[in-house]
């Protein structure tokens, strides 16, 4: 089963929208292409990749115009192209692969972290410290492979047409040692440097803010270029990462992120705080 990328989700939404506009049930539409209700449901929910030929057959049976059919067929072809992360699928769990696939297509990323520096802004040495302190004991080879995955994810931030990244970090994460002092010093310098890029904003929530709505765990919100693509939210739980895409869930997550921005220091004051922490070491 392929990762549920933004393209696959967009295609699924288009298939469902056109089917409903044609007044067809899942059963009736599936009969048109000699398929089953469950298979068509998986196509519409982007749980299974649909072939370009099937897309053409479905939309033609729905009476969709030639231009829209051609666009959907191209989308089906694009959705089948493997991303760079495919070569690491043996290393990462399915939820992580799904999230990386979505993140790779996002045009805006907001990330709050209460306990660690956001992954997209971690240095290689900091990543190694996090990997070695995780719940599972990893050998050096596996640690280095996971370091490479995370560094590959970061490349978009400095590429052409990079996404906007709003990173909000609880001060507690910056006070918690990961690795030795040189690792933490290098990480703080990196945060200051990355915060100078026009597409990246770094904000720190000071300990003086007290208990806030993000204290319970990390939060990601992904937005996409196509307005038809719903916002995606991801929260970290003790059971692992949960990806949320229902309107009510993402609306709640967006409100929490707005609250976190409001209790965080401004970008300029956050930079001063990072420099103060660096000098105080």
């Amino acid at each position: 089963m392929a990762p549920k990328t933004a393209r696959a989700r967009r295609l699924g939404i288009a298939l469902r929208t056109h089917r409903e506009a044609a007044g067809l049930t899942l059963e009736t539409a599936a009969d048109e292409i000699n398929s089953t209700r469950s298979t068509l449901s998986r196509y519409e929910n982007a749980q299974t990749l649909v072939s370009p030929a099937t897309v053409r057959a479905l939309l033609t049976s729905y009476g969709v115009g030639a231009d829209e059919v051609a666009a959907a067929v191209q989308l089906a072809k694009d959705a089948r192209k493997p991303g760079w992360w495919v070569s690491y699928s043996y290393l990462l769990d399915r939820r992580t692969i799904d999230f990386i696939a979505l993140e790779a297509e996002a045009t805006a990323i907001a990330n709050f972290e209460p306990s660690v520096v956001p992954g997209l802004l971690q240095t290689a040495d900091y990543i190694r410290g996090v990997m070695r302190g995780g719940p599972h004991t990893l050998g050096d080879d596996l640690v280095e492979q996971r370091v490479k995955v995370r560094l590959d994810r970061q490349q978009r931030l400095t590429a052409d047409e990079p996404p906007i990244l709003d990173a909000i970090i609880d001060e507690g994460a910056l006070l918690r040692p990961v690795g030795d002092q040189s690792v933490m010093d290098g990480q703080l310098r990196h945060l200051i440097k990355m915060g100078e890029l026009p597409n990246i904003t770094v904000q720190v929530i000071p300990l003086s803010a007290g208990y806030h709505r993000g204290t319970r765990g990390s939060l990601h919100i992904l937005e996409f270029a196509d307005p038809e693509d719903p916002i995606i939210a991801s929260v970290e739980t003790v059971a692992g990462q949960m990806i949320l895409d229902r309107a009510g869930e993402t609306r709640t997550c967006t409100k929490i992120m707005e609250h976190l921005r409001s209790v965080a220091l401004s970008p300029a004051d956050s930079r001063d705080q990072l420099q103060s922490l660096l000098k105080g070491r």
Side-chain angles (χ1 to χ4, degrees):
M1 191 160 59
K4 192 185 289 189
T5 64
R7 288 187 293 265
R9 288 170 55 244
R10 193 183 317 144
L11 179 60
I13 291 169
L15 291 175
R16 183 175 69 248
T17 301
H18 286 304
R19 174 179 60 78
E20 291 173 347
L24 298 175
T25 64
L26 278 167
E27 290 87 353
T28 305
D31 285 344
E32 292 286 335
I33 59 167
N34 297 318
S35 187
T36 64
R37 181 189 187 282
S38 61
T39 297
L40 186 52
S41 177
R42 288 197 298 273
Y43 290 158
E44 292 185 359
N45 289 305
Q47 293 172 335
T48 302
L49 280 181
V50 54
S51 73
T54 300
V55 169
R56 185 181 298 281
L58 279 170
L59 295 188
T60 299
S61 72
Y62 299 161
V64 176
D67 288 346
E68 286 187 277
V69 171
V73 167
Q74 185 59 51
L75 192 56
K77 292 177 180 177
D78 291 342
R80 299 174 78 84
K81 294 176 181 175
W84 62 263
W85 54 85
V86 169
S87 60
Y88 294 108
S89 54
Y90 72 95
L91 187 66
L92 305 169
D93 62 63
R94 177 55 193 269
R95 289 178 182 175
T96 302
I97 288 286
D98 277 351
F99 181 77
I100 290 175
L102 291 166
E103 181 189 74
E105 297 181 63
T107 52
I109 304 167
N111 179 202
F112 164 73
E113 291 292 347
S115 304
V116 294
V117 169
L120 290 176
L121 297 177
Q122 292 176 359
T123 65
D125 285 338
Y126 187 96
I127 298 169
R128 290 186 185 98
V130 170
M131 295 299 173
R132 291 186 174 124
H136 306 293
T137 302
L138 300 175
D140 287 346
D141 286 349
L142 281 178
V143 167
E144 290 307 312
Q145 289 175 60
R146 288 179 180 239
V147 169
K148 188 175 188 311
V149 173
R150 193 158 295 180
L151 294 179
D152 283 349
R153 286 171 62 188
Q154 295 177 7
Q155 288 184 9
R156 279 194 72 212
L157 295 177
T158 52
D160 294 336
E161 299 183 12
I164 293 169
L165 172 63
D166 290 339
I168 305 173
I169 314 167
D170 194 280
E171 187 178 4
L174 303 174
L175 296 173
R176 177 176 291 104
V178 173
D180 58 25
Q181 183 173 324
S182 67
V183 172
M184 291 304 296
D185 286 353
Q187 181 61 74
L188 288 170
R189 290 192 192 95
H190 185 66
L191 285 172
I192 293 168
K193 177 183 175 183
M194 295 300 284
E196 293 172 353
L197 296 176
N199 59 307
I200 298 177
T201 300
V202 176
Q203 289 182 264
V204 176
I205 297 180
L207 293 178
S208 59
Y211 184 87
H212 53 74
R213 295 184 69 188
T215 306
R216 295 180 180 179
S218 66
L219 173 63
H220 280 82
I221 295 178
L222 306 179
E223 297 181 42
F224 303 91
D226 192 318
E228 295 298 316
D229 280 343
I231 289 173
I232 288 287
S234 168
V235 294
E236 197 74 34
T237 72
V238 291
Q241 191 173 33
M242 288 180 57
I243 296 177
L244 311 172
D245 60 3
R246 294 181 180 177
E249 295 170 334
T250 57
R251 196 177 303 119
T252 297
C253 290
T254 299
K255 288 181 179 178
I256 291 173
M257 194 67 80
E258 289 172 356
H259 167 76
L260 295 172
R261 286 192 182 96
S262 72
V263 297
L265 299 172
S266 70
D269 288 344
S270 294
R271 177 186 172 84
D272 291 343
Q273 181 70 0
L274 290 169
Q275 290 177 327
S276 176
L277 288 170
L278 186 57
K279 291 175 183 175
R281 290 186 178 278

